[in-house]
Amino acid sequence: MGHIIPLVEFSRKLVLLHHHECTVTIIIPSLGPPPEAQAQLLQTLPPAVSHVLLPPVDPTILAHVSTDAKLFLTVDRSIPHLRGAIAALAREFPLAALVADIFGTDAFDVAREFNLAAYFAVPSNALTLALCSYMPKLDAEVSGDYRQLAEPIRLPGCRFAFPVGDLHPSILDRKSDAYERILRHAKRQRLADGFIVNTFMEVEGEIIEALRGEEFANGRPIFPIGPIIQSTITDDGRIFRATRQNECLEWLDSQPPASVLFVSFGSGGTLSQEQLNELALGLEMSHQQFLWVVRSPNTTRDTNASYIGPQSNSNPFNYLPEGFLGRTKGRALLVPSWAPQIQVLGHRATGGFLNHCGWNSTLESILNGVPLISWPLHGDQKMVAVQLVEHLKIALRPIAGEDGLIRREEISKVVRGLMVGEEGLAVRNEMNVLKEAAKNAMSEEGSSTKSLELLVSQWKNRSGEPSLGT
């Protein structure tokens, strides 16, 4: 969902701003029937945006591999079906471009077969694109385990360096079942005719300019078209669970301005049982108001697995420390599994957001001016955390112990620091500056608006009335 949402919203924006010129088809590889949240999202698409669910991949080929490897394998095995889907579309529309997600560079070959421009879409930030550009060089220059590197990693355009341990886990471990696949796609990204990134110049301009000047881009355009976030208004409202939404917003209505910490780990992030306990007790110790989206703990130590696999149907409140609900009654609202995040972040009572450093959630926070507590779980989230804390200075980050756990005392300290401390005031001020920059980027004459218009003009030049395959 973290990839589908920005691509859906990108498609929605294309047809709303250029409705006489663009139609879009979203093509989705799958492991089976779409999850409920995905199905509801797709039901909200405007008429000019359609979607195709490719036939499910044989699940037996995905047994005993990591989540990252499953994603790559699913797309790889779906390429023949993608070819058939595009052939069917080409019989109906004058196609102009194929936009491939970060896992789908093999789709570039299909685009060439149909004489389509091939674009690489980064649903996250320019930092991810910088890592993609740097990875082949890192692989060629370093032998052995990356963990043995003495110096931190510095990516193109980054004034800040990354401790090696903050690299994407599947990149850090060269023996992982996903490493060679990631490396292969990092090399193939250079085959794209252009790059579309869900970011804006005011937040990552240095990285984008550095990539434009690198051999990586080699004259091909990079289009920062963000921040693109999930729409708060849909055609029929079915994507929102009205009862839960009302519960959250009514509770927030009763709280003082900027007094509530919102706690959520994205569309599927989970914690271990021990870490769940520490988080609960840390929130309690902080004596701050909070709204927490609680999920059942993971049992596989894979904090990423629930993003593409089934989530637990058990009551997550059963896993909380004994007496916790009673002790926090009145200053906390706990909801199981889901909350209307965009409305919560936009509410006057929300004064902070403890989250997993997913880029979608980060952009939603920026647009609402809500400062962050960074708690990365997997993927590129540790790198994003470094960016938010060290460079943009819009977040605080709790420190884990040697055993990897973030203890209750540390959680309480950071929560109080954000909500009522001097460091929180400084972070809040930086976030307000970035909020205005994001609005400016999306304005009529803003950098992202102009970037999107330039992208569409390129597609129009390829075909009089383009249909855009995503």
Side-chain angles (χ1 to χ4, degrees):
M1 284 295 288
H3 287 227
I4 291 175
I5 287 171
L7 290 173
V8 164
E9 297 303 331
F10 171 58
S11 303
R12 196 192 306 274
K13 190 166 188 174
L14 278 172
V15 301
L16 290 178
L17 294 180
H18 305 275
H19 60 281
H20 295 303
E21 301 159 321
C22 295
T23 59
V24 181
T25 299
I26 301 170
I27 303 173
I28 305 174
S30 71
L31 292 171
E36 178 186 2
Q38 184 186 118
Q40 290 178 338
L41 178 65
L42 295 173
Q43 288 172 3
T44 70
L45 294 173
V49 181
S50 59
H51 70 276
V52 174
L53 294 175
L54 298 181
V57 169
D58 181 359
T60 59
I61 67 169
L62 305 177
H64 311 300
V65 299
S66 68
T67 298
D68 287 334
K70 285 180 182 178
L71 291 167
F72 286 114
L73 281 169
T74 299
V75 176
D76 179 59
R77 297 299 191 274
S78 297
I79 292 298
H81 301 301
L82 172 67
R83 184 176 288 105
I86 293 178
L89 288 170
R91 290 192 288 269
E92 297 184 51
F93 302 103
L95 301 180
L98 177 68
V99 179
D101 176 58
I102 196 167
F103 297 103
T105 63
D106 287 331
F108 294 164
D109 297 336
V110 181
R112 302 288 183 252
E113 293 175 23
F114 290 89
N115 195 32
L116 304 180
Y119 286 76
F120 180 66
V122 184
S124 55
N125 56 0
L127 188 65
T128 300
L129 190 59
L131 177 61
C132 293
S133 75
Y134 186 72
M135 188 179 171
K137 180 180 179 181
L138 183 67
D139 180 80
E141 293 182 351
V142 179
S143 59
D145 195 329
Y146 290 148
R147 296 181 183 90
Q148 304 304 315
L149 290 175
E151 297 296 324
I153 300 295
R154 189 175 294 275
L155 299 176
C158 294
R159 286 184 289 169
F160 49 101
F162 298 90
V164 175
D166 282 338
L167 287 177
H168 191 300
S170 292
I171 294 176
L172 186 61
D173 182 6
R174 300 179 79 165
K175 296 180 180 178
S176 73
D177 57 2
Y179 179 83
E180 290 299 329
R181 294 182 175 93
I182 296 174
L183 178 62
R184 176 176 176 273
H185 285 275
K187 293 176 178 179
R188 285 183 55 83
Q189 284 153 14
R190 298 165 184 257
L191 302 176
D193 294 307
F195 306 88
I196 303 168
V197 192
N198 189 13
T199 191
F200 54 108
M201 291 297 292
E202 290 80 354
V203 72
E204 293 190 296
E206 287 181 293
I207 299 175
I208 292 166
E209 291 296 349
L211 288 171
R212 284 171 173 166
E214 291 256 324
E215 180 187 355
F216 171 77
N218 195 26
R220 290 169 301 228
I222 300 174
F223 299 95
I225 46 85
I228 290 180
I229 65 171
Q230 187 168 351
S231 303
T232 57
I233 299 175
T234 60
D235 296 337
D236 57 10
R238 282 177 293 180
I239 193 171
F240 298 128
R241 306 170 193 179
T243 302
R244 180 73 52 74
Q245 178 176 325
N246 292 339
E247 177 188 10
C248 292
L249 300 184
E250 288 174 3
W251 183 80
L252 287 170
D253 287 341
S254 67
Q255 306 301 317
S259 64
V260 175
L261 177 70
F262 180 44
V263 182
S264 177
F265 293 96
S267 57
T270 57
L271 304 175
S272 68
Q273 177 65 73
E274 190 173 7
Q275 186 62 85
L276 186 72
N277 290 342
E278 292 297 321
L279 175 57
L281 296 173
L283 291 171
E284 181 181 348
M285 288 176 61
S286 74
H287 300 291
Q288 302 300 302
Q289 289 101 318
F290 59 92
L291 193 168
W292 182 10
V293 181
V294 186
R295 289 199 178 89
S296 300
N298 61 67
T299 57
T300 64
R301 301 180 66 85
D302 184 356
T303 57
N304 193 22
S306 58
Y307 278 91
I308 65 169
Q311 297 186 16
S312 172
N313 292 321
S314 60
N315 183 354
F317 294 174
N318 293 338
Y319 299 93
L320 294 170
E322 185 175 356
F324 173 77
L325 292 174
R327 294 192 300 271
T328 58
K329 187 176 182 180
R331 67 177 177 89
L333 175 66
L334 278 67
V335 295
S337 302
W338 181 89
Q341 179 164 301
I342 294 176
Q343 291 95 325
V344 169
L345 290 174
H347 197 282
R348 61 170 182 78
T350 303
F353 186 15
L354 188 161
N355 81 344
H356 62 307
C357 301
W359 192 240
N360 292 329
S361 292
T362 298
L363 291 179
E364 290 166 10
S365 300
I366 290 173
L367 283 170
N368 287 287
V370 179
L372 298 162
I373 294 176
S374 297
W375 190 309
L377 295 179
H378 52 259
D380 61 353
Q381 293 166 9
K382 287 186 177 182
M383 295 179 60
V384 173
V386 174
Q387 182 182 28
L388 300 180
V389 175
E390 302 296 334
H391 177 53
L392 298 176
K393 302 186 186 304
I394 58 174
L396 303 179
R397 184 177 181 181
I399 300 173
E402 292 183 1
D403 58 359
L405 280 177
I406 304 175
R407 297 293 180 181
R408 65 194 73 172
E409 295 82 5
E410 175 71 5
I411 295 166
S412 175
K413 182 184 75 173
V414 173
V415 169
R416 289 187 59 80
L418 183 74
M419 301 303 292
V420 296
E422 289 296 322
E423 61 267 52
L425 180 61
V427 165
R428 194 176 308 277
N429 290 337
E430 292 294 334
M431 182 63 94
N432 284 331
V433 172
L434 206 52
K435 174 184 176 180
E436 292 306 311
K439 289 183 176 180
N440 290 337
M442 300 299 289
S443 66
E444 186 174 351
E445 296 298 320
S447 59
S448 292
T449 301
K450 291 182 177 180
S451 186
L452 181 62
E453 290 174 351
L454 179 61
L455 175 63
V456 172
S457 70
Q458 288 193 1
W459 288 337
K460 287 169 64 177
N461 289 336
R462 291 185 61 90
S463 178
E465 294 292 333
S467 169
L468 313 176
T470 301

